[in-house]
Amino acid sequence: MKKIDDKLAPLKHTLIEHPLYREINSIEDIRFFMEQHVFAVWDFMSLVKKLQAELTCTTTPWIPSQNPLAGRLINEIVWGEETDVNKYGVPMSHFEMYLEAMDEAGASTHEIKKFLSELDSGKNILENIKISELPDYVKNFLHFTFSTIAENKIHVIASVFTFGREDLIPDMFIAMVKNLKREGEHLHNLIYYLERHIEVDGDEHGPMALKMIEDLCQGDELKIQEALEGALIALKMRIALWDGIFAQLQTPSLT
């Protein structure tokens, strides 16, 4: 894991120091950011559920998992991501928490709800993404996620999940929370969501996800290399998403 982490360090630094965080200076900026970022909050759950489907038995008749350690780790992560509690103690997924935070902040949930309602089970998800009216930087981000899932290399999916999402989230969101707390008004649910991610991902899910990759790679050099390549692309896609949002925030129509 140290080999992978060392290779990813420059890209992680780029994300943590991304100018997007400094560009979010108003409630209007926060709303726009959330309206774009919510798609990354949503597709994250497909990575989680794909890992659960492959590493545990989710069908009947039940048979024992071939990866009990990885299965235990992903089940604990799913439990926290899919059925956590909001600030009022109500059970819900982190995605639903994010929608709740968007409503409170006055951000529109129309596009994400429209996208989900138009998911056609008769079409491949990649086709749904292609024909959507989403910005290219969101489309490209989603396309990478579901292309990775479709390739069905579990160690790569775990790497994209870990290094492109779980391992990265605490550092990225700490920078945002510092800025958001200055706004204060109408952002209580968003701040709770972000702080909850910092707490859960930094202290629990991040370390669990790293152990899961170790268990899946088992020291196999080819798998380690493929995991590294997947993680590198995942971070580049996140940077491209941030670049797209940053560029839009700088346009006169949003100021």
Side-chain angles (χ1 to χ4, degrees):
M1 292 305 100
K2 186 179 185 305
K3 174 183 176 182
I4 294 177
D5 217 30
D6 288 346
K7 292 282 188 181
L8 299 181
L11 291 174
K12 284 187 175 183
H13 179 77
T14 298
L15 275 166
I16 293 166
E17 298 298 324
H18 200 285
L20 171 64
Y21 306 120
R22 294 187 293 276
E23 189 68 22
I24 298 176
N25 296 311
S26 68
I27 189 66
E28 290 77 20
D29 294 339
I30 292 166
R31 288 169 182 158
F32 181 77
F33 170 80
M34 295 180 79
E35 289 164 7
Q36 313 301 304
H37 178 239
V38 67
F39 288 91
V41 178
W42 168 71
D43 82 333
F44 167 81
M45 286 306 302
S46 289
L47 289 169
V48 176
K49 298 301 285 186
K50 174 64 175 178
L51 287 168
Q52 185 185 40
E54 295 296 330
L55 297 174
T56 69
C57 183
T58 57
T59 59
T60 56
W62 178 86
I63 57 173
S65 169
Q66 295 182 355
N67 300 93
L69 174 58
R72 174 183 173 85
L73 294 171
I74 194 61
N75 272 339
E76 290 195 30
I77 292 171
V78 169
W79 179 78
E81 296 289 344
E82 195 171 33
T83 54
D84 202 359
V85 293
N86 70 1
K87 67 178 293 185
Y88 306 105
V90 178
M92 63 177 61
S93 67
H94 284 184
F95 171 70
E96 290 165 306
M97 268 189 226
Y98 201 83
L99 293 182
E100 187 177 64
M102 290 179 72
D103 287 336
E104 180 186 58
S108 172
T109 59
H110 173 74
E111 289 301 323
I112 181 64
K113 289 180 178 178
K114 177 185 175 186
F115 180 79
L116 295 183
S117 70
E118 291 177 350
L119 285 180
D120 186 341
S121 59
K123 289 192 181 74
N124 182 284
I125 178 61
L126 296 176
E127 182 62 23
N128 278 292
I129 295 167
K130 181 180 178 180
I131 64 175
S132 74
E133 297 178 356
L134 299 173
D136 286 343
Y137 54 84
V138 175
K139 282 187 178 184
N140 293 339
F141 188 87
L142 294 176
H143 187 276
F144 169 71
T145 296
F146 287 98
S147 294
T148 301
I149 290 171
E151 287 178 5
N152 206 36
K153 292 185 176 181
I154 305 308
H155 56 289
V156 176
I157 297 171
S159 182
V160 168
F161 164 80
T162 300
F163 294 109
R165 303 297 186 92
E166 286 292 310
D167 186 48
L168 184 67
I169 283 171
D171 289 328
M172 287 196 317
F173 282 174
I174 283 170
M176 287 200 66
V177 168
K178 289 178 180 177
N179 289 330
L180 291 173
K181 279 189 172 178
R182 297 191 189 107
E183 292 284 336
E185 187 177 4
H186 306 308
L187 296 174
H188 303 295
N189 286 332
L190 179 57
I191 290 172
Y192 175 84
Y193 169 87
L194 296 178
E195 290 183 336
R196 184 69 178 145
H197 258 290
I198 291 168
E199 176 187 355
V200 173
D201 294 338
D203 297 339
E204 300 173 21
H205 292 181
M208 284 182 191
L210 290 170
K211 288 181 182 178
M212 180 170 58
I213 292 182
E214 289 181 345
D215 187 56
L216 292 173
C217 287
Q218 291 290 319
D220 184 307
E221 285 299 323
L222 176 59
K223 288 184 176 180
I224 292 171
Q225 183 60 35
E226 289 179 336
L228 170 59
E229 290 170 0
L232 285 168
I233 299 173
L235 291 182
K236 289 175 182 177
M237 295 307 298
R238 174 72 77 163
I239 291 170
L241 178 65
W242 265 206
D243 287 347
I245 298 173
F246 176 66
Q248 288 297 305
L249 283 172
Q250 291 186 306
T251 61
S253 61
L254 291 174
T255 58

